[in-house]
Amino acid sequence: MNNSKESPSLRVPSAGATGTVALSWRGSSLELLDQRLLPAQERWITLESASGVAQCIQDMVVRGAPAIGISAAYGVALAARHAEGGDWQAEIKLAIRELSASRPTAVNLFWALQRMERVCDGCSSLSEAQKQLADEAVAIHEEDLAANLAMAEHAIEAMGLSAGAGTSVPISVLTHCNTGALATGGYGTALGVIRRLHENKLLKRVYADETRPWLQGSRLTAWELMRDGIPVTLNADGAAAAILATGEVRWIIVGADRITANGDVANKIGTYSLAVLARFHKVGFMVVAPSSTVDMALESGAEIPIEERDGSEVREIRGISLAPEGVPVFNPVFDVTPANLIDVIITEKGAVRNPDVQGMRDLFG
Ligand code: MRU
């Protein structure tokens, strides 16, 4: 990682209906908006190596399942640019191994890297690989944005809302973590659906869980939504039950890091408790994720590797201590929501209602 600077002018691909962008490919470098500093500072980091990209994924400069996959793909393209003439394929594969060790839970990372590796295997010269790998990374990025836009349409339909003027009463929803333009190729998954509800005048209000301990909800989601003028109310995670008890919220809408063959969903820690609350309060529970998040090779959520991060994320905030020094901490950053608590999974290929093995197989083979 090297020189950081204020916001560059952005390109490739466009961010859909929002001006917020997490990453920008420059042909010879990748620029990442440093999400650790938001909302206080908008600072961009320029990367010219795969190692730098791997470090940024691990440190959460860039985060969110699709954005991690896209960044890793650009990381492979950077590795190809810097490969020497000799065993260039071995050099690129070494970079792929390093990138794949950056975070364990979001399957989009491994999906993107496998796709890049297949392209690398099909190239017969380094110059061909440099071009093909850069093109493939841009394609992965563009496809993710297109998937987000398609998912927003499927989700509105699955909720039984119609976009025609005045035909459906605006609803309130609750979301967790950040699943917006910052977490994807642009627009967002769950937040893309919320964005589309707002565009269609179908959104009354979105409640955003702050999402302890990394605060993706307060630092990122609230920031993204306020930038776009979407009505958002921030709440402590523990307030979700009280909000649902008022009866105002119709749907809880979340993203995913990995969805297994039986419809179980790994997502940000706290998602599982929301699904339990939703069932108790008879509120719809929707998961929105591109098919690159689906892992049909795993039978159930019990097989998903759950990342545990350093206890300092819980013990302190920006170096300020919130707990006794040295207190042991359990900090799993994802949990698994069982399929039977989910009403519908939305992907760009369509919806799986009441997900189970058969429903998943019907859509994903
Ligand atoms: O640890 P993070 O911030 O990478 O976790 C992000 C989430 O859990 C998101 O809900 C998920 O990746 C979907 S993002 C479209």
Side-chain angles (χ1 to χ4, degrees):
M1 157 183 355
N2 56 30
N3 61 73
S4 62
K5 58 180 192 268
E6 300 301 330
S7 309
S9 61
L10 302 167
R11 63 179 180 87
V12 190
S14 90
T18 168
T20 303
V21 184
L23 55 141
S24 176
W25 175 240
R26 299 296 171 154
S28 57
S29 64
L30 174 66
E31 303 204 328
L32 295 177
L33 178 59
D34 190 344
Q35 299 191 31
R36 298 168 304 180
L37 305 179
L38 291 173
Q41 272 184 69
E42 287 176 51
R43 206 146 193 89
W44 288 80
I45 295 178
T46 303
L47 298 148
E48 288 170 1
S49 73
S51 297
V53 176
Q55 193 65 51
C56 282
I57 295 172
Q58 195 177 350
D59 294 346
M60 303 203 23
V61 169
V62 62
R63 33 65 52 202
I68 291 170
I70 296 163
S71 302
Y74 284 128
V76 178
L78 290 174
R81 276 185 64 80
H82 295 288
E84 307 283 338
D87 195 349
W88 55 270
Q89 269 180 326
E91 281 183 58
I92 294 170
K93 283 179 188 221
L94 201 64
I96 291 175
R97 298 289 89 77
E98 186 180 359
L99 285 157
S100 70
S102 55
R103 289 191 77 185
T105 303
V107 76
N108 310 61
L109 173 68
F110 310 101
W111 170 87
L113 290 173
Q114 275 163 19
R115 203 167 138 171
M116 296 300 280
E117 189 158 7
R118 275 197 298 275
V119 170
C120 179
D121 287 341
C123 292
S124 48
S125 70
L126 176 56
S127 59
E128 185 191 353
Q130 287 168 338
K131 170 158 187 0
Q132 299 282 337
L133 289 168
D135 287 353
E136 189 71 3
V138 170
I140 287 172
H141 193 170
E142 287 175 345
E143 286 168 27
D144 186 67
L145 177 57
N148 287 343
L149 298 172
M151 289 188 289
E153 292 302 317
H154 293 314
I156 303 273
E157 199 184 312
M159 285 190 272
L161 299 172
S162 77
T167 48
S168 290
V169 177
I171 61 166
S172 290
V173 302
L174 186 143
T175 193
H176 192 65
C177 195
N178 172 267
T179 60
L182 290 171
T184 63
Y187 204 69
T189 58
L191 218 58
V193 172
I194 290 165
R195 212 167 238 130
R196 181 59 54 85
L197 283 170
H198 176 72
E199 287 160 7
N200 288 343
K201 304 197 178 351
L202 292 171
L203 181 73
K204 186 172 157 206
R205 173 153 302 279
V206 50
Y207 289 93
D209 275 0
E210 65 174 346
T211 318
R212 279 279 291 151
W214 210 78
L215 301 174
Q216 286 92 337
S218 53
R219 298 196 304 100
L220 309 179
T221 298
W223 179 75
E224 244 195 90
L225 291 174
M226 287 185 77
R227 270 165 71 102
D228 284 352
I230 299 174
V232 56
T233 298
L234 179 65
N235 59 274
D237 297 340
I243 293 168
L244 297 192
T246 67
E248 184 190 340
V249 166
R250 282 265 300 277
W251 285 89
I252 293 178
I253 311 178
V254 297
D257 289 82
R258 200 183 292 228
I259 304 173
T260 54
N262 66 343
D264 287 351
V265 168
N267 190 48
K268 180 54 53 194
I269 190 76
T271 302
Y272 175 28
S273 29
L274 285 178
V276 174
L277 289 177
R279 190 54 54 95
F280 182 80
H281 288 285
K282 300 184 175 50
V283 165
F285 193 85
M286 173 183 281
V287 174
V288 187
S291 55
S292 53
T293 306
V294 173
D295 184 355
M296 293 297 279
L298 299 190
E299 274 179 31
S300 81
E303 296 168 56
I304 299 174
I306 299 294
E307 177 182 11
E308 278 185 44
R309 294 183 67 90
D310 197 86
S312 60
E313 289 185 355
V314 177
R315 272 193 298 260
E316 57 192 58
I317 289 184
R318 298 208 199 288
I320 297 170
S321 185
L322 303 174
E325 200 177 324
V327 66
V329 166
F330 177 47
N331 186 24
V333 299
F334 301 99
D335 57 25
V336 174
T337 300
N340 62 9
L341 289 178
I342 298 168
D343 291 303
V344 60
I345 295 175
I346 303 286
T347 74
E348 79 281 11
K349 292 176 191 254
V352 185
R353 290 181 188 275
N354 305 315
D356 61 6
V357 172
Q358 193 55 53
M360 291 294 292
R361 204 177 282 158
D362 288 347
L363 201 58
F364 301 106

